[in-house]
Amino acid sequence: MEASENELSIPVDYVPGARGHTVLAVGRDTDGRDAMAMWRLSPTGRAGGAWVERFDEVEREPERLIRIMSMLQGRCVVDWDSKTIEGVLARFAEFLPAETLSDLRAHILVLPELLAEISEHRAAYSAAVEQQRARTKSKLAPLAWPTEVPEQQELIAWASRAQSTAASPVAGTALTLAAAVARTAQLWQDTEQARYRRTYLRSLGDPQPLPPRWLAELRKAVGSSSLVSV
């Protein structure tokens, strides 16, 4: 049997024990000068703060950057790959305390791994449907996903549309990442809703706001955060 839509609501923003994500980018500001962008995202990718600071201004007043970074504490840095994150953090390194950089490097998420985790669960849920079909000899329809899990390049192309609203290239990079995080979280919520409609799949657990490994990393970042505020 399938449950009604009203039974399937999943909290989409508040996630106990998790603060969320940090998006960091470097690039050109509106006037072509080097700048850094910092976006604060909820666990499900909703933006809750955004800053763009030019490098020359940070050089004059590094304390401002440290204050901003203190508002991003306890979050995982997210990007397309860890090499990109390391490159961005290297640009931040001269302005931040070593302890702050260490915390940021310790809690990194990369979008392809988040997509892969969702795909793993979808495969497991589909396998559970097949097992149920074999046990009951019933004609069970396969699980239907509202949206298939995209390849990385497909997600990049979709999320890049957010750049059209950006005030600068560096803000566009940050907006693209933020859109990709929110989209990936939505893919998971769609996955859990499709599973929980099947009453025989509810034994696999209550609907969760994020996949287990993803959520564990966000919670770990909260538990070990020691960013310095000024």
Side-chain angles (χ1 to χ4, degrees), residues 78-110:
V78 62
D79 211 310
W80 300 107
D81 57 73
S82 56
K83 184 176 180 181
T84 299
I85 294 175
E86 285 296 337
V88 171
L89 291 178
R91 298 291 304 277
F92 280 68
E94 64 181 290
F95 308 111
L96 297 177
E99 187 178 21
T100 299
L101 284 168
S102 178
D103 278 328
L104 293 168
R105 289 191 171 107
H107 303 293
I108 286 174
L109 292 171
V110 293

mmCIF file of all heavy atoms in Angstrom, residues 78-110:
data_model
loop_
_atom_site.group_PDB
_atom_site.id
_atom_site.type_symbol
_atom_site.label_atom_id
_atom_site.label_comp_id
_atom_site.label_asym_id
_atom_site.label_seq_id
_atom_site.Cartn_x
_atom_site.Cartn_y
_atom_site.Cartn_z
ATOM 1 N N VAL A 78 31.662 22.754 1.217
ATOM 2 C CA VAL A 78 31.182 21.892 0.140
ATOM 3 C C VAL A 78 31.576 22.482 -1.209
ATOM 4 O O VAL A 78 31.553 23.692 -1.415
ATOM 5 C CB VAL A 78 29.648 21.691 0.242
ATOM 6 C CG1 VAL A 78 28.919 23.013 0.091
ATOM 7 C CG2 VAL A 78 29.140 20.681 -0.778
ATOM 8 N N ASP A 79 31.977 21.586 -2.128
ATOM 9 C CA ASP A 79 32.348 21.998 -3.491
ATOM 10 C C ASP A 79 32.258 20.770 -4.375
ATOM 11 O O ASP A 79 31.840 19.688 -3.935
ATOM 12 C CB ASP A 79 33.754 22.604 -3.506
ATOM 13 C CG ASP A 79 33.916 23.676 -4.592
ATOM 14 O OD1 ASP A 79 33.552 23.397 -5.749
ATOM 15 O OD2 ASP A 79 34.403 24.771 -4.285
ATOM 16 N N TRP A 80 32.697 20.936 -5.626
ATOM 17 C CA TRP A 80 32.632 19.813 -6.568
ATOM 18 C C TRP A 80 33.713 18.781 -6.304
ATOM 19 O O TRP A 80 33.519 17.593 -6.586
ATOM 20 C CB TRP A 80 32.734 20.331 -7.997
ATOM 21 C CG TRP A 80 31.632 21.277 -8.347
ATOM 22 C CD1 TRP A 80 31.731 22.642 -8.492
ATOM 23 C CD2 TRP A 80 30.259 20.957 -8.575
ATOM 24 N NE1 TRP A 80 30.500 23.176 -8.787
ATOM 25 C CE2 TRP A 80 29.578 22.177 -8.842
ATOM 26 C CE3 TRP A 80 29.536 19.765 -8.566
ATOM 27 C CZ2 TRP A 80 28.213 22.218 -9.107
ATOM 28 C CZ3 TRP A 80 28.170 19.814 -8.828
ATOM 29 C CH2 TRP A 80 27.528 21.016 -9.099
ATOM 30 N N ASP A 81 34.871 19.200 -5.795
ATOM 31 C CA ASP A 81 35.940 18.247 -5.483
ATOM 32 C C ASP A 81 36.845 18.849 -4.413
ATOM 33 O O ASP A 81 36.888 20.068 -4.226
ATOM 34 C CB ASP A 81 36.741 17.868 -6.730
ATOM 35 C CG ASP A 81 37.351 19.078 -7.418
ATOM 36 O OD1 ASP A 81 38.331 19.625 -6.866
ATOM 37 O OD2 ASP A 81 36.845 19.490 -8.477
ATOM 38 N N SER A 82 37.562 17.990 -3.713
ATOM 39 C CA SER A 82 38.396 18.438 -2.598
ATOM 40 C C SER A 82 39.579 19.271 -3.075
ATOM 41 O O SER A 82 40.041 20.168 -2.360
ATOM 42 C CB SER A 82 38.891 17.232 -1.793
ATOM 43 O OG SER A 82 39.580 16.319 -2.622
ATOM 44 N N LYS A 83 40.071 19.016 -4.282
ATOM 45 C CA LYS A 83 41.195 19.799 -4.808
ATOM 46 C C LYS A 83 40.793 21.265 -4.967
ATOM 47 O O LYS A 83 41.578 22.173 -4.651
ATOM 48 C CB LYS A 83 41.651 19.227 -6.153
ATOM 49 C CG LYS A 83 42.883 19.915 -6.723
ATOM 50 C CD LYS A 83 43.340 19.243 -8.014
ATOM 51 C CE LYS A 83 44.571 19.938 -8.587
ATOM 52 N NZ LYS A 83 45.010 19.295 -9.854
ATOM 53 N N THR A 84 39.581 21.494 -5.447
ATOM 54 C CA THR A 84 39.099 22.870 -5.579
ATOM 55 C C THR A 84 39.014 23.541 -4.212
ATOM 56 O O THR A 84 39.410 24.702 -4.035
ATOM 57 C CB THR A 84 37.727 22.895 -6.260
ATOM 58 O OG1 THR A 84 37.847 22.336 -7.575
ATOM 59 C CG2 THR A 84 37.197 24.323 -6.376
ATOM 60 N N ILE A 85 38.494 22.820 -3.232
ATOM 61 C CA ILE A 85 38.395 23.372 -1.879
ATOM 62 C C ILE A 85 39.772 23.731 -1.341
ATOM 63 O O ILE A 85 39.970 24.809 -0.768
ATOM 64 C CB ILE A 85 37.690 22.380 -0.939
ATOM 65 C CG1 ILE A 85 36.233 22.202 -1.360
ATOM 66 C CG2 ILE A 85 37.759 22.873 0.516
ATOM 67 C CD1 ILE A 85 35.483 21.150 -0.580
ATOM 68 N N GLU A 86 40.735 22.848 -1.531
ATOM 69 C CA GLU A 86 42.090 23.121 -1.040
ATOM 70 C C GLU A 86 42.663 24.365 -1.703
ATOM 71 O O GLU A 86 43.342 25.174 -1.063
ATOM 72 C CB GLU A 86 42.992 21.911 -1.293
ATOM 73 C CG GLU A 86 42.743 20.743 -0.352
ATOM 74 C CD GLU A 86 43.053 21.078 1.099
ATOM 75 O OE1 GLU A 86 43.841 22.015 1.354
ATOM 76 O OE2 GLU A 86 42.497 20.410 1.980
ATOM 77 N N GLY A 87 42.385 24.530 -2.997
ATOM 78 C CA GLY A 87 42.877 25.717 -3.689
ATOM 79 C C GLY A 87 42.266 26.994 -3.152
ATOM 80 O O GLY A 87 42.954 28.012 -2.988
ATOM 81 N N VAL A 88 40.978 26.945 -2.863
ATOM 82 C CA VAL A 88 40.308 28.120 -2.302
ATOM 83 C C VAL A 88 40.835 28.419 -0.904
ATOM 84 O O VAL A 88 41.140 29.573 -0.567
ATOM 85 C CB VAL A 88 38.783 27.904 -2.275
ATOM 86 C CG1 VAL A 88 38.098 29.022 -1.494
ATOM 87 C CG2 VAL A 88 38.229 27.832 -3.694
ATOM 88 N N LEU A 89 40.982 27.392 -0.079
ATOM 89 C CA LEU A 89 41.482 27.600 1.281
ATOM 90 C C LEU A 89 42.910 28.143 1.277
ATOM 91 O O LEU A 89 43.285 28.916 2.166
ATOM 92 C CB LEU A 89 41.414 26.299 2.077
ATOM 93 C CG LEU A 89 40.004 25.813 2.427
ATOM 94 C CD1 LEU A 89 40.077 24.483 3.168
ATOM 95 C CD2 LEU A 89 39.264 26.843 3.262
ATOM 96 N N ALA A 90 43.679 27.771 0.268
ATOM 97 C CA ALA A 90 45.041 28.303 0.162
ATOM 98 C C ALA A 90 45.012 29.818 -0.034
ATOM 99 O O ALA A 90 45.898 30.535 0.449
ATOM 100 C CB ALA A 90 45.780 27.624 -0.991
ATOM 101 N N ARG A 91 43.983 30.318 -0.747
ATOM 102 C CA ARG A 91 43.863 31.767 -0.941
ATOM 103 C C ARG A 91 43.442 32.469 0.348
ATOM 104 O O ARG A 91 43.762 33.636 0.575
ATOM 105 C CB ARG A 91 42.850 32.076 -2.049
ATOM 106 C CG ARG A 91 43.218 31.531 -3.426
ATOM 107 C CD ARG A 91 44.427 32.243 -4.026
ATOM 108 N NE ARG A 91 44.263 33.685 -4.108
ATOM 109 C CZ ARG A 91 43.633 34.318 -5.090
ATOM 110 N NH1 ARG A 91 43.089 33.617 -6.084
ATOM 111 N NH2 ARG A 91 43.559 35.634 -5.106
ATOM 112 N N PHE A 92 42.716 31.773 1.201
ATOM 113 C CA PHE A 92 42.276 32.325 2.474
ATOM 114 C C PHE A 92 43.373 32.252 3.535
ATOM 115 O O PHE A 92 43.305 32.953 4.550
ATOM 116 C CB PHE A 92 41.058 31.557 3.000
ATOM 117 C CG PHE A 92 39.743 31.947 2.393
ATOM 118 C CD1 PHE A 92 39.456 31.688 1.062
ATOM 119 C CD2 PHE A 92 38.766 32.551 3.156
ATOM 120 C CE1 PHE A 92 38.241 32.029 0.502
ATOM 121 C CE2 PHE A 92 37.534 32.906 2.612
ATOM 122 C CZ PHE A 92 37.272 32.641 1.283
ATOM 123 N N ALA A 93 44.369 31.397 3.306
ATOM 124 C CA ALA A 93 45.294 31.008 4.375
ATOM 125 C C ALA A 93 46.027 32.182 5.014
ATOM 126 O O ALA A 93 46.240 32.198 6.227
ATOM 127 C CB ALA A 93 46.300 29.994 3.827
ATOM 128 N N GLU A 94 46.427 33.178 4.228
ATOM 129 C CA GLU A 94 47.227 34.257 4.803
ATOM 130 C C GLU A 94 46.425 35.165 5.727
ATOM 131 O O GLU A 94 47.000 35.936 6.496
ATOM 132 C CB GLU A 94 47.847 35.094 3.690
ATOM 133 C CG GLU A 94 46.844 35.829 2.804
ATOM 134 C CD GLU A 94 47.532 36.622 1.713
ATOM 135 O OE1 GLU A 94 48.178 37.636 2.048
ATOM 136 O OE2 GLU A 94 47.413 36.226 0.530
ATOM 137 N N PHE A 95 45.094 35.041 5.695
ATOM 138 C CA PHE A 95 44.261 35.933 6.494
ATOM 139 C C PHE A 95 43.647 35.260 7.720
ATOM 140 O O PHE A 95 43.094 35.949 8.569
ATOM 141 C CB PHE A 95 43.115 36.494 5.634
ATOM 142 C CG PHE A 95 43.571 37.115 4.354
ATOM 143 C CD1 PHE A 95 43.288 36.525 3.134
ATOM 144 C CD2 PHE A 95 44.292 38.300 4.366
ATOM 145 C CE1 PHE A 95 43.691 37.100 1.945
ATOM 146 C CE2 PHE A 95 44.710 38.882 3.170
ATOM 147 C CZ PHE A 95 44.416 38.278 1.962
ATOM 148 N N LEU A 96 43.704 33.942 7.799
ATOM 149 C CA LEU A 96 42.998 33.228 8.855
ATOM 150 C C LEU A 96 43.963 32.534 9.807
ATOM 151 O O LEU A 96 45.038 32.085 9.396
ATOM 152 C CB LEU A 96 42.063 32.179 8.246
ATOM 153 C CG LEU A 96 40.923 32.698 7.367
ATOM 154 C CD1 LEU A 96 40.146 31.532 6.781
ATOM 155 C CD2 LEU A 96 40.006 33.616 8.155
ATOM 156 N N PRO A 97 43.593 32.399 11.073
ATOM 157 C CA PRO A 97 44.411 31.633 12.013
ATOM 158 C C PRO A 97 44.548 30.178 11.564
ATOM 159 O O PRO A 97 43.640 29.623 10.926
ATOM 160 C CB PRO A 97 43.624 31.731 13.331
ATOM 161 C CG PRO A 97 42.747 32.928 13.171
ATOM 162 C CD PRO A 97 42.406 32.989 11.709
ATOM 163 N N ALA A 98 45.662 29.567 11.902
ATOM 164 C CA ALA A 98 45.915 28.182 11.510
ATOM 165 C C ALA A 98 44.829 27.248 12.027
ATOM 166 O O ALA A 98 44.428 26.291 11.352
ATOM 167 C CB ALA A 98 47.288 27.742 12.013
ATOM 168 N N GLU A 99 44.334 27.522 13.230
ATOM 169 C CA GLU A 99 43.296 26.673 13.812
ATOM 170 C C GLU A 99 42.015 26.736 12.992
ATOM 171 O O GLU A 99 41.338 25.722 12.792
ATOM 172 C CB GLU A 99 43.030 27.124 15.250
ATOM 173 C CG GLU A 99 42.084 26.207 16.002
ATOM 174 C CD GLU A 99 41.887 26.662 17.439
ATOM 175 O OE1 GLU A 99 42.130 27.852 17.737
ATOM 176 O OE2 GLU A 99 41.482 25.822 18.266
ATOM 177 N N THR A 100 41.692 27.903 12.493
ATOM 178 C CA THR A 100 40.502 28.056 11.663
ATOM 179 C C THR A 100 40.637 27.251 10.378
ATOM 180 O O THR A 100 39.717 26.524 9.975
ATOM 181 C CB THR A 100 40.280 29.536 11.320
ATOM 182 O OG1 THR A 100 40.087 30.273 12.523
ATOM 183 C CG2 THR A 100 39.073 29.718 10.414
ATOM 184 N N LEU A 101 41.785 27.357 9.727
ATOM 185 C CA LEU A 101 42.009 26.605 8.494
ATOM 186 C C LEU A 101 41.967 25.100 8.739
ATOM 187 O O LEU A 101 41.434 24.339 7.937
ATOM 188 C CB LEU A 101 43.355 26.994 7.884
ATOM 189 C CG LEU A 101 43.394 28.349 7.174
ATOM 190 C CD1 LEU A 101 44.831 28.744 6.877
ATOM 191 C CD2 LEU A 101 42.583 28.307 5.886
ATOM 192 N N SER A 102 42.528 24.681 9.868
ATOM 193 C CA SER A 102 42.515 23.257 10.204
ATOM 194 C C SER A 102 41.086 22.748 10.353
ATOM 195 O O SER A 102 40.740 21.662 9.868
ATOM 196 C CB SER A 102 43.302 23.028 11.496
ATOM 197 O OG SER A 102 43.266 21.665 11.864
ATOM 198 N N ASP A 103 40.238 23.538 11.007
ATOM 199 C CA ASP A 103 38.831 23.142 11.157
ATOM 200 C C ASP A 103 38.139 23.044 9.806
ATOM 201 O O ASP A 103 37.370 22.107 9.553
ATOM 202 C CB ASP A 103 38.096 24.157 12.026
ATOM 203 C CG ASP A 103 38.306 23.910 13.510
ATOM 204 O OD1 ASP A 103 38.450 22.750 13.906
ATOM 205 O OD2 ASP A 103 38.336 24.894 14.273
ATOM 206 N N LEU A 104 38.387 24.003 8.939
ATOM 207 C CA LEU A 104 37.752 23.983 7.628
ATOM 208 C C LEU A 104 38.196 22.771 6.822
ATOM 209 O O LEU A 104 37.375 22.108 6.163
ATOM 210 C CB LEU A 104 38.082 25.275 6.878
ATOM 211 C CG LEU A 104 37.483 26.564 7.464
ATOM 212 C CD1 LEU A 104 38.119 27.792 6.806
ATOM 213 C CD2 LEU A 104 35.971 26.588 7.283
ATOM 214 N N ARG A 105 39.485 22.480 6.846
ATOM 215 C CA ARG A 105 40.010 21.343 6.075
ATOM 216 C C ARG A 105 39.535 20.000 6.625
ATOM 217 O O ARG A 105 39.500 19.010 5.900
ATOM 218 C CB ARG A 105 41.542 21.392 6.069
ATOM 219 C CG ARG A 105 42.112 22.519 5.221
ATOM 220 C CD ARG A 105 43.616 22.364 5.035
ATOM 221 N NE ARG A 105 44.121 23.312 4.064
ATOM 222 C CZ ARG A 105 44.857 24.383 4.374
ATOM 223 N NH1 ARG A 105 45.162 24.628 5.647
ATOM 224 N NH2 ARG A 105 45.272 25.215 3.434
ATOM 225 N N ALA A 106 39.179 19.972 7.897
ATOM 226 C CA ALA A 106 38.768 18.711 8.525
ATOM 227 C C ALA A 106 37.346 18.311 8.157
ATOM 228 O O ALA A 106 36.952 17.162 8.382
ATOM 229 C CB ALA A 106 38.904 18.821 10.039
ATOM 230 N N HIS A 107 36.574 19.249 7.598
ATOM 231 C CA HIS A 107 35.158 18.964 7.349
ATOM 232 C C HIS A 107 34.787 19.409 5.940
ATOM 233 O O HIS A 107 34.333 20.528 5.708
ATOM 234 C CB HIS A 107 34.295 19.660 8.396
ATOM 235 C CG HIS A 107 34.649 19.285 9.790
ATOM 236 N ND1 HIS A 107 34.452 18.015 10.287
ATOM 237 C CD2 HIS A 107 35.239 19.996 10.785
ATOM 238 C CE1 HIS A 107 34.884 17.967 11.535
ATOM 239 N NE2 HIS A 107 35.379 19.142 11.848
ATOM 240 N N ILE A 108 35.032 18.496 5.012
ATOM 241 C CA ILE A 108 34.828 18.781 3.591
ATOM 242 C C ILE A 108 33.822 17.782 3.016
ATOM 243 O O ILE A 108 33.882 16.582 3.300
ATOM 244 C CB ILE A 108 36.168 18.701 2.837
ATOM 245 C CG1 ILE A 108 37.034 19.940 3.153
ATOM 246 C CG2 ILE A 108 35.953 18.571 1.341
ATOM 247 C CD1 ILE A 108 38.423 19.875 2.568
ATOM 248 N N LEU A 109 32.905 18.283 2.213
ATOM 249 C CA LEU A 109 31.969 17.449 1.471
ATOM 250 C C LEU A 109 32.114 17.751 -0.012
ATOM 251 O O LEU A 109 32.266 18.909 -0.394
ATOM 252 C CB LEU A 109 30.529 17.735 1.894
ATOM 253 C CG LEU A 109 30.109 17.323 3.306
ATOM 254 C CD1 LEU A 109 28.724 17.877 3.617
ATOM 255 C CD2 LEU A 109 30.113 15.811 3.456
ATOM 256 N N VAL A 110 32.071 16.709 -0.828
ATOM 257 C CA VAL A 110 32.118 16.920 -2.274
ATOM 258 C C VAL A 110 30.832 16.375 -2.893
ATOM 259 O O VAL A 110 30.348 15.301 -2.537
ATOM 260 C CB VAL A 110 33.368 16.279 -2.915
ATOM 261 C CG1 VAL A 110 34.615 16.988 -2.440
ATOM 262 C CG2 VAL A 110 33.458 14.803 -2.612
#
